[in-house]
Amino acid sequence: MPKEAFLYGGLSAVIAEAVSYPIDTCKIRLQVQGQITDDALTAIKYRGTLHTLRSVTVDEGFASLFNGFRFAALRQATYGTLRFGIFFTGKSLWNKRGGSDKNLPFLVSLGVTAGVIGSVITTPIDRMKVLAQSTAQTRKKTIFSTFRRIYNKGGISGLYQGKWPNAKRAAAVNGVEIPCYVFVKDGLVNTLGWEDSMKTQFLAAVIASAVGIAISQPFDTAKTRIMQQKTYRTDIRVYEGFFDMCRLTISNEGRRALWKGAGPAWCRNGPWNVAFYLSLEQFRTFDQWAHQRDHSYF
């Protein structure tokens, strides 16, 4: 399998995460507020992306927008490497056997598979990231100390708390965003005759991001809320899973609450996807030059 797909996919994911991380923190803060299951989170403190950015910066300092970035970088170095590596490796093998990028069902199934595998393996890192972002941090915690604290309070199940909502969210995101980017770019280049330039890649990334958020946001809200819960506490109502979270959220906050944080999610995901795919395309060009190939290996 082409190791370049894993290497460049992981590097591009880390670059994209660094560019968009403050917006991701805003999305997490908006998603966890308003829950009646935990008194500490019932109050609506933040109103929209800009208000959250300003409030967190004023109340906690600019550095708080990057709470948990060490976990995010580690997550993308693992999850990003796996999901993009698996997808583009599978796509490369498919293309070599004569398969077309217009075969959307194949691309979707490949994206879902890559997302689920990557997310389940890296759930403990994702949970550490969510916990660091969801509330103000009085002191910075290392990856090891956070891992040990979660394990001591919840064991292995604590580390993997929210793994199935996380897998569902990854299946929705990767089953839509990556195939959408490949499908839209292929259409622009091979059907409309556009040049495979940064403008084409930019537009395909923006479209993929918008479609992905529209479909995956309820799964992302569920993942965030379930991972954020401290299940060892006896004074809160613990969600029993994805459907229980959806039922309680809809009955107490309305259907629109499932799309909480959709604004900052797109504000974050748009730049994330643009940074990722433009970086990946540059790595792809570098790969062709470095190995003297007529086409990229992935």
Side-chain angles (χ1 to χ4, degrees):
M1 294 194 303
K3 61 182 180 298
E4 289 87 349
F6 290 87
L7 173 63
Y8 297 140
L11 286 173
S12 299
V14 173
I15 292 170
E17 192 73 12
V19 169
S20 61
Y21 195 76
I23 305 298
D24 190 47
T25 297
C26 293
K27 182 203 72 170
I28 295 290
R29 295 292 182 97
L30 287 165
Q31 285 178 318
V32 300
Q33 67 178 1
Q35 301 178 76
I36 66 166
T37 57
D38 188 344
D39 291 341
L41 297 170
T42 301
I44 303 297
K45 184 178 180 181
Y46 306 110
R47 301 184 305 276
T49 308
L50 294 178
H51 180 260
T52 308
L53 277 171
R54 184 171 64 251
S55 297
V56 172
T57 302
V58 171
D59 297 342
E60 305 167 33
F62 180 75
S64 289
L65 293 171
F66 288 88
N67 279 349
F69 180 71
R70 59 176 68 86
F71 306 120
L74 178 60
R75 175 179 177 267
Q76 289 301 342
T78 50
Y79 172 61
T81 296
L82 285 170
R83 66 170 176 146
F84 291 115
I86 292 170
F87 180 87
F88 285 107
T89 296
K91 177 179 170 297
S92 175
L93 295 173
W94 170 255
N95 292 152
K96 286 178 181 177
R97 294 179 180 180
S100 169
D101 286 348
K102 291 184 174 66
N103 190 321
L104 200 54
F106 173 78
L107 295 177
V108 169
S109 63
L110 185 58
V112 168
T113 302
V116 170
I117 292 173
S119 69
V120 170
I121 291 173
T122 60
T123 290
I125 304 170
D126 209 2
R127 182 156 192 243
M128 289 189 282
K129 168 183 169 288
V130 168
L131 288 173
Q133 286 181 291
S134 59
T135 56
Q137 302 291 303
T138 54
R139 63 188 181 88
K140 303 300 180 186
K141 298 178 177 66
T142 65
I143 293 173
F144 179 74
S145 67
T146 303
F147 182 93
R148 184 176 57 188
R149 179 169 58 87
I150 296 173
Y151 179 78
N152 288 341
K153 291 182 176 179
I156 295 296
S157 61
L159 290 169
Y160 280 90
Q161 183 177 316
K163 63 180 179 297
W164 296 125
N166 195 28
K168 289 182 179 75
R169 182 248 178 204
V173 170
N174 292 281
V176 174
E177 281 186 2
I178 312 176
C180 186
Y181 174 82
V182 173
F183 187 78
V184 170
K185 195 184 88 163
D186 178 78
L188 292 173
V189 173
N190 295 322
T191 303
L192 298 182
W194 289 29
E195 183 183 353
D196 188 1
S197 63
M198 292 184 72
K199 180 182 75 172
T200 303
Q201 296 154 11
F202 177 90
L203 181 58
V206 170
I207 293 173
S209 178
V211 175
I213 289 296
I215 294 174
S216 68
Q217 191 61 20
F219 297 98
D220 191 59
T221 298
K223 181 207 80 168
T224 298
R225 289 192 167 194
I226 292 172
M227 283 188 167
Q228 182 273 334
Q229 283 198 312
K230 299 174 177 62
T231 55
Y232 56 86
R233 287 174 52 184
T234 58
D235 61 327
I236 63 173
R237 164 69 158 82
V238 175
Y239 298 122
E240 296 175 4
F242 172 76
F243 294 107
D244 183 50
M245 193 287 311
C246 289
R247 181 180 60 80
L248 280 174
T249 299
I250 292 171
S251 63
N252 294 316
E253 304 170 56
R255 293 181 185 275
R256 291 180 62 184
L258 292 176
W259 275 268
K260 269 188 176 181
W266 191 85
C267 290
R268 181 256 183 184
N269 223 41
W272 197 101
N273 273 298
V274 168
F276 171 79
Y277 285 110
L278 291 184
S279 297
L280 185 67
E281 296 288 359
Q282 293 305 306
F283 283 128
R284 193 184 306 228
T285 301
F286 170 78
D287 177 67
Q288 289 180 241
W289 171 81
H291 295 92
Q292 305 273 304
R293 300 191 186 109
D294 293 332
H295 62 278
S296 176
Y297 195 34
F298 63 97

